[in-house]
């Protein structure tokens, strides 16, 4: 089976979904095969800053991509719902997650190549969190800094010892990512 590849058509579709929401029109027709299943994330950046990012680590049909666009724009609890005036400032990315592998230990991955999912069972509680492949590189984190940040993101508030790190289960994955700015989307739409 060939590797799934995110492309600009997917990003344009996501912008179409947002436009249909703001213009109160019918959701656009899917311009690609929606029956293929894959874990996916839709990420919004506004002037270089994260504005929303929602997805799934479980394989879902690509025809559910509109749910993740909508959730990233209007339901990411870290941000206020997207306003129509912000659209022109957006860059939208679609990430399709592929090649999941169990890692040998919490540092068995490459910054910039792998996204990572950590899981930790500690004192009867389960902690888990993920970062997409580009996050550690964008933040200029070492593997250690990234793992510590993910533990914090997961809700783990205790001190992180070597014994804790040895208990971290890590799954690594790769992604095919495509990004389009609203300006690029508008230029295409006006052709």
């Amino acid at each position: 089976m060939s590797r799934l590849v995110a492309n600009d058509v997917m990003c344009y579709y996501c912008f179409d979904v947002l436009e249909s929401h703001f213009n109160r029109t019918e959701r656009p027709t899917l311009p690609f095969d929606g029956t293929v299943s894959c874990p996916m994330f839709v990420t919004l950046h506004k002037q270089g800053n994260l504005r929303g990012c929602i997805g799934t680590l479980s394989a879902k049909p690509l025809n559910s991509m509109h749910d993740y666009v909508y959730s990233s724009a209007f339901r990411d609890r870290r941000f206020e719902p997207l306003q129509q005036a912000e659209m022109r400032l957006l860059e939208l990315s679609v990430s399709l997650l592929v090649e999941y592998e169990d890692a040998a230990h919490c540092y068995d991955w490459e910054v910039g190549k792998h996204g990572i999912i950590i899981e930790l069972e500690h004192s009867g509680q389960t902690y888990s969190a993920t970062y997409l492949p580009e996050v550690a590189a964008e933040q200029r984190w070492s593997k250690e800094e990234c793992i510590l940040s993910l533990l914090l993101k997961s809700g783990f508030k205790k001190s992180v010892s070597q014994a804790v790190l040895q208990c971290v289960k890590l799954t690594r994955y790769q992604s095919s990512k495509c990004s389009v700015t609203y300006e690029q989307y508008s230029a295409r739409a006006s052709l």
Side-chain angles (χ1 to χ4, degrees), residues 123-180:
S123 302
Q125 284 195 280
T126 302
Y127 302 90
S128 67
T130 190
Y131 281 137
L132 295 173
E134 61 272 9
V135 172
E138 286 173 355
Q139 298 298 319
R140 294 185 170 91
W141 285 334
S142 66
K143 290 180 184 181
E144 295 80 6
E145 290 168 322
C146 186
I147 296 296
L148 292 174
S149 177
L150 264 179
L151 284 167
L152 189 60
K153 180 181 178 184
S154 76
F156 188 77
K157 304 276 192 249
K158 299 179 176 142
S159 65
V160 180
S161 65
Q162 278 303 111
V164 167
L165 290 172
Q166 289 174 352
C167 294
V168 171
K169 179 184 174 225
L170 187 132
T171 303
R172 63 186 182 213
Y173 58 88
Q174 296 180 48
S175 92
S176 172
K177 179 181 176 184
C178 183
S179 300
V180 168

Coordinates of all heavy atoms in Angstrom, one line a residue, residues 123-180:
S123 N 1.4 5.6 40.1 CA 0.6 5.8 41.3 C -0.9 5.6 41.0 O -1.8 6.3 41.4 CB 0.8 7.1 42.0 OG 2.1 7.3 42.3
G124 N -1.2 4.6 40.1 CA -2.6 4.2 39.8 C -3.2 5.2 38.8 O -4.4 5.0 38.5
Q125 N -2.5 6.1 38.2 CA -3.0 7.0 37.2 C -2.3 6.8 35.9 O -1.2 6.4 35.9 CB -2.9 8.5 37.6 CG -3.9 8.9 38.7 CD -3.9 10.4 38.8 OE1 -3.0 11.0 39.4 NE2 -4.9 11.0 38.2
T126 N -3.1 7.1 34.8 CA -2.5 7.0 33.5 C -2.3 8.4 32.9 O -3.3 9.2 33.0 CB -3.4 6.1 32.5 OG1 -3.6 4.8 33.1 CG2 -2.8 6.0 31.2
Y127 N -1.2 8.7 32.4 CA -0.9 10.0 31.8 C -0.5 9.7 30.3 O 0.2 8.8 30.0 CB 0.3 10.6 32.5 CG 0.0 10.9 33.9 CD1 0.4 9.9 34.9 CD2 -0.6 12.1 34.4 CE1 0.2 10.1 36.2 CE2 -0.8 12.3 35.7 CZ -0.4 11.3 36.7 OH -0.7 11.5 38.0
S128 N -1.0 10.5 29.4 CA -0.6 10.4 28.0 C -0.7 11.7 27.3 O -1.6 12.6 27.7 CB -1.5 9.3 27.3 OG -2.8 9.8 27.2
A129 N 0.1 11.9 26.3 CA 0.1 13.1 25.5 C 0.9 12.9 24.2 O 1.6 11.9 24.1 CB 0.7 14.3 26.3
T130 N 0.7 13.8 23.2 CA 1.4 13.6 22.0 C 1.9 15.0 21.5 O 1.3 16.0 21.8 CB 0.5 13.0 20.9 OG1 1.3 12.7 19.8 CG2 -0.6 13.8 20.4
Y131 N 2.9 15.0 20.7 CA 3.3 16.1 19.9 C 3.5 15.6 18.5 O 4.1 14.6 18.2 CB 4.7 16.7 20.4 CG 4.6 17.6 21.6 CD1 5.5 17.5 22.6 CD2 3.6 18.6 21.7 CE1 5.4 18.4 23.7 CE2 3.5 19.4 22.8 CZ 4.4 19.3 23.8 OH 4.4 20.1 24.9
L132 N 3.1 16.4 17.5 CA 3.3 16.1 16.1 C 4.8 16.2 15.8 O 5.5 16.9 16.5 CB 2.4 17.0 15.2 CG 0.9 16.9 15.4 CD1 0.2 18.0 14.6 CD2 0.5 15.5 14.9
P133 N 5.2 15.7 14.7 CA 6.7 15.6 14.4 C 7.4 17.0 14.3 O 8.5 17.1 14.7 CB 6.7 15.0 13.0 CG 5.5 14.1 12.9 CD 4.5 14.9 13.7
E134 N 6.7 18.1 13.9 CA 7.3 19.4 13.8 C 7.5 20.1 15.1 O 8.3 21.1 15.2 CB 6.6 20.2 12.8 CG 5.2 20.5 13.2 CD 4.1 19.5 12.7 OE1 4.5 18.4 12.2 OE2 2.9 19.8 12.8
V135 N 6.8 19.7 16.2 CA 6.7 20.5 17.4 C 8.1 20.6 18.1 O 8.6 21.7 18.4 CB 5.7 19.9 18.4 CG1 5.8 20.6 19.8 CG2 4.3 20.1 17.8
A136 N 8.8 19.5 18.3 CA 10.1 19.6 19.0 C 11.1 20.5 18.2 O 11.8 21.3 18.8 CB 10.7 18.2 19.2
A137 N 11.1 20.3 16.9 CA 12.0 21.1 16.0 C 11.6 22.6 16.1 O 12.5 23.4 16.2 CB 12.0 20.6 14.6
E138 N 10.3 22.9 16.0 CA 9.9 24.3 16.0 C 10.3 25.0 17.3 O 10.6 26.1 17.4 CB 8.4 24.4 15.8 CG 8.0 24.1 14.3 CD 6.4 24.1 14.2 OE1 5.7 24.1 15.2 OE2 6.0 24.0 13.0
Q139 N 10.2 24.2 18.4 CA 10.5 24.7 19.7 C 12.0 24.7 20.1 O 12.4 25.2 21.1 CB 9.7 24.0 20.8 CG 8.2 24.1 20.7 CD 7.7 25.5 20.8 OE1 8.2 26.3 21.7 NE2 6.8 25.9 20.0
R140 N 12.7 24.1 19.2 CA 14.2 23.9 19.4 C 14.5 23.1 20.7 O 15.4 23.4 21.4 CB 14.9 25.2 19.4 CG 14.8 25.9 18.0 CD 15.7 27.2 18.0 NE 15.8 27.7 16.7 CZ 15.0 28.6 16.2 NH1 14.0 29.1 16.9 NH2 15.3 29.1 15.0
W141 N 13.6 22.1 20.9 CA 13.8 21.3 22.1 C 14.7 20.1 21.8 O 14.7 19.5 20.7 CB 12.5 20.7 22.5 CG 11.5 21.6 23.2 CD1 11.8 22.7 23.9 CD2 10.1 21.5 23.2 NE1 10.7 23.3 24.4 CE2 9.6 22.6 24.0 CE3 9.2 20.6 22.7 CZ2 8.2 22.8 24.2 CZ3 7.9 20.7 23.0 CH2 7.4 21.8 23.7
S142 N 15.5 19.7 22.8 CA 16.2 18.4 22.8 C 15.1 17.4 23.1 O 14.0 17.6 23.4 CB 17.3 18.4 23.9 OG 16.6 18.4 25.2
K143 N 15.5 16.1 22.9 CA 14.6 15.0 23.2 C 14.2 15.1 24.7 O 13.0 14.9 25.0 CB 15.3 13.6 23.0 CG 15.5 13.4 21.5 CD 16.2 12.0 21.3 CE 16.5 11.7 19.9 NZ 17.1 10.4 19.7
E144 N 15.1 15.4 25.6 CA 14.8 15.5 27.0 C 13.8 16.6 27.3 O 12.9 16.3 28.0 CB 16.1 15.7 27.8 CG 17.1 14.6 27.8 CD 18.0 14.5 26.5 OE1 17.9 15.4 25.6 OE2 18.7 13.5 26.3
E145 N 14.0 17.7 26.7 CA 13.1 18.8 26.9 C 11.7 18.5 26.4 O 10.7 18.8 27.0 CB 13.6 20.1 26.2 CG 14.8 20.7 26.9 CD 15.5 21.8 26.1 OE1 15.6 21.6 24.8 OE2 16.0 22.7 26.7
C146 N 11.7 17.8 25.3 CA 10.4 17.5 24.7 C 9.6 16.5 25.6 O 8.4 16.6 25.8 CB 10.6 16.9 23.3 SG 9.1 16.5 22.4
I147 N 10.3 15.5 26.1 CA 9.7 14.5 27.0 C 9.2 15.1 28.2 O 8.1 14.9 28.7 CB 10.7 13.3 27.3 CG1 11.0 12.5 26.0 CG2 10.1 12.4 28.4 CD1 9.9 11.8 25.3
L148 N 10.0 16.0 28.8 CA 9.5 16.7 30.0 C 8.3 17.6 29.7 O 7.4 17.6 30.5 CB 10.7 17.6 30.6 CG 11.9 16.8 31.2 CD1 13.0 17.7 31.6 CD2 11.4 15.9 32.4
S149 N 8.3 18.3 28.6 CA 7.1 19.1 28.2 C 5.9 18.2 28.0 O 4.8 18.6 28.4 CB 7.4 19.9 26.9 OG 6.3 20.6 26.6
L150 N 6.1 17.0 27.4 CA 4.9 16.1 27.2 C 4.4 15.6 28.5 O 3.2 15.4 28.7 CB 5.3 14.9 26.3 CG 5.0 15.1 24.8 CD1 5.5 13.9 24.0 CD2 3.6 15.3 24.5
L151 N 5.3 15.3 29.4 CA 4.8 14.8 30.7 C 4.0 15.9 31.4 O 2.9 15.6 32.0 CB 6.0 14.4 31.6 CG 6.6 13.0 31.2 CD1 8.0 12.9 31.9 CD2 5.7 11.9 31.6
L152 N 4.4 17.1 31.3 CA 3.7 18.2 31.9 C 2.3 18.4 31.2 O 1.3 18.5 31.8 CB 4.5 19.5 31.8 CG 3.9 20.7 32.5 CD1 3.8 20.5 34.0 CD2 4.9 21.9 32.3
K153 N 2.4 18.3 29.8 CA 1.1 18.4 29.0 C 0.1 17.3 29.4 O -1.1 17.5 29.4 CB 1.5 18.3 27.6 CG 0.3 18.4 26.6 CD 0.7 18.2 25.2 CE -0.5 18.3 24.2 NZ -0.1 18.1 22.8
S154 N 0.7 16.1 29.8 CA -0.2 15.0 30.1 C -0.9 15.1 31.5 O -1.8 14.4 31.9 CB 0.6 13.7 30.1 OG 1.4 13.6 31.3
G155 N -0.4 16.1 32.3 CA -0.9 16.3 33.6 C -0.1 15.8 34.7 O -0.4 15.9 35.9
F156 N 1.1 15.2 34.4 CA 2.0 14.7 35.4 C 2.7 15.8 36.1 O 3.4 16.6 35.5 CB 3.0 13.7 34.7 CG 3.9 13.0 35.7 CD1 3.3 11.9 36.4 CD2 5.2 13.4 35.9 CE1 4.1 11.2 37.3 CE2 6.0 12.7 36.8 CZ 5.4 11.6 37.5
K157 N 2.4 16.0 37.4 CA 2.9 17.1 38.2 C 4.1 16.8 39.1 O 4.6 17.7 39.8 CB 1.8 17.7 39.0 CG 0.6 18.1 38.1 CD 0.8 19.5 37.5 CE -0.5 20.0 36.9 NZ -0.6 20.1 35.5
K158 N 4.4 15.5 39.2 CA 5.5 15.1 40.2 C 6.8 15.3 39.5 O 7.0 15.5 38.4 CB 5.2 13.6 40.5 CG 3.9 13.4 41.2 CD 3.6 12.0 41.6 CE 2.3 12.0 42.3 NZ 1.5 10.9 42.0
S159 N 7.9 15.2 40.4 CA 9.2 15.3 39.8 C 9.5 14.1 38.9 O 9.0 13.0 39.1 CB 10.3 15.4 41.0 OG 10.3 14.2 41.7
V160 N 10.3 14.4 37.9 CA 10.6 13.4 36.9 C 12.0 12.8 37.2 O 13.0 13.5 36.9 CB 10.6 14.0 35.5 CG1 10.9 12.9 34.4 CG2 9.2 14.6 35.2
S161 N 12.1 11.6 37.7 CA 13.3 10.9 38.0 C 13.7 10.0 36.8 O 12.9 9.7 35.9 CB 13.2 10.1 39.3 OG 12.2 9.1 39.1
Q162 N 14.9 9.4 36.9 CA 15.3 8.4 35.9 C 14.3 7.2 35.9 O 13.9 6.6 34.9 CB 16.7 7.9 36.1 CG 17.7 8.8 35.5 CD 17.6 9.0 34.0 OE1 17.2 10.1 33.6 NE2 17.8 8.0 33.2
A163 N 13.9 6.9 37.2 CA 12.9 5.7 37.3 C 11.6 6.0 36.6 O 11.0 5.1 35.9 CB 12.7 5.4 38.8
V164 N 11.1 7.3 36.7 CA 9.9 7.6 36.0 C 10.1 7.6 34.5 O 9.3 7.0 33.7 CB 9.4 9.1 36.4 CG1 8.4 9.6 35.5 CG2 8.9 9.1 37.8
L165 N 11.2 8.1 34.0 CA 11.5 8.1 32.6 C 11.6 6.7 32.0 O 11.2 6.4 30.9 CB 12.8 8.9 32.3 CG 12.7 10.4 32.5 CD1 14.1 11.0 32.3 CD2 11.8 11.0 31.5
Q166 N 12.1 5.7 32.8 CA 12.2 4.3 32.4 C 10.8 3.7 32.2 O 10.7 2.7 31.5 CB 13.1 3.5 33.3 CG 14.6 3.9 33.2 CD 15.5 3.2 34.2 OE1 15.0 2.6 35.1 NE2 16.8 3.4 34.1
C167 N 9.8 4.3 32.9 CA 8.5 3.7 32.8 C 7.6 4.3 31.7 O 6.5 3.9 31.4 CB 7.8 3.9 34.2 SG 8.5 3.0 35.5
V168 N 8.2 5.4 31.0 CA 7.5 6.0 29.9 C 7.5 5.1 28.7 O 8.5 4.6 28.3 CB 8.1 7.4 29.6 CG1 7.5 7.9 28.3 CG2 7.9 8.4 30.7
K169 N 6.3 4.8 28.2 CA 6.1 4.0 27.0 C 6.0 5.0 25.9 O 5.2 6.0 26.0 CB 4.9 3.1 27.1 CG 4.6 2.3 25.8 CD 3.4 1.5 25.9 CE 3.1 0.9 24.5 NZ 1.8 1.0 24.1
L170 N 6.8 4.9 24.8 CA 6.7 5.8 23.7 C 6.4 5.2 22.4 O 6.9 4.1 22.1 CB 8.1 6.5 23.6 CG 8.1 7.7 22.6 CD1 8.8 8.9 23.2 CD2 8.9 7.3 21.4
T171 N 5.5 5.8 21.7 CA 5.2 5.3 20.3 C 5.6 6.5 19.4 O 5.2 7.6 19.7 CB 3.6 5.1 20.2 OG1 3.2 4.1 21.1 CG2 3.3 4.6 18.8
R172 N 6.3 6.1 18.4 CA 6.7 7.2 17.4 C 5.9 7.0 16.1 O 5.5 5.9 15.8 CB 8.2 7.1 17.2 CG 8.7 5.9 16.6 CD 10.2 5.8 16.5 NE 10.6 4.6 15.8 CZ 11.7 3.9 16.1 NH1 12.6 4.4 17.0 NH2 12.0 2.8 15.5
Y173 N 5.8 8.1 15.4 CA 5.1 8.1 14.1 C 5.6 9.2 13.3 O 6.3 10.0 13.7 CB 3.5 8.2 14.3 CG 3.1 9.4 15.0 CD1 2.9 10.6 14.3 CD2 2.9 9.5 16.4 CE1 2.5 11.8 15.0 CE2 2.5 10.6 17.1 CZ 2.3 11.8 16.4 OH 1.9 12.9 17.0
Q174 N 5.3 9.1 12.0 CA 5.7 10.2 11.1 C 4.4 10.8 10.5 O 3.3 10.3 10.8 CB 6.5 9.6 10.0 CG 7.9 9.0 10.5 CD 8.7 8.4 9.4 OE1 8.9 9.0 8.4 NE2 9.3 7.3 9.7
S175 N 4.6 11.9 9.8 CA 3.4 12.5 9.3 C 3.7 13.1 7.9 O 4.8 13.5 7.6 CB 2.8 13.6 10.2 OG 3.3 14.9 9.9
S176 N 2.7 13.1 7.1 CA 2.7 13.8 5.8 C 1.9 15.1 6.1 O 0.8 15.0 6.5 CB 2.0 13.0 4.7 OG 1.9 13.7 3.6
K177 N 2.6 16.2 5.9 CA 2.0 17.5 6.3 C 2.0 18.4 5.1 O 3.0 18.5 4.3 CB 2.8 18.1 7.4 CG 2.2 19.5 7.8 CD 3.1 20.1 9.0 CE 2.6 21.5 9.3 NZ 3.4 22.1 10.3
C178 N 0.9 19.1 4.9 CA 0.8 20.2 3.9 C 0.2 21.4 4.5 O -0.8 21.3 5.3 CB -0.1 19.7 2.7 SG -0.2 20.9 1.4
S179 N 0.7 22.6 4.2 CA 0.2 23.8 4.7 C -0.1 24.8 3.6 O 0.6 24.9 2.6 CB 1.3 24.5 5.6 OG 1.6 23.6 6.7
V180 N -1.2 25.6 3.8 CA -1.6 26.6 2.8 C -2.1 27.8 3.6 O -2.8 27.7 4.6 CB -2.8 26.1 2.0 CG1 -3.5 27.2 1.2 CG2 -2.4 24.9 1.1

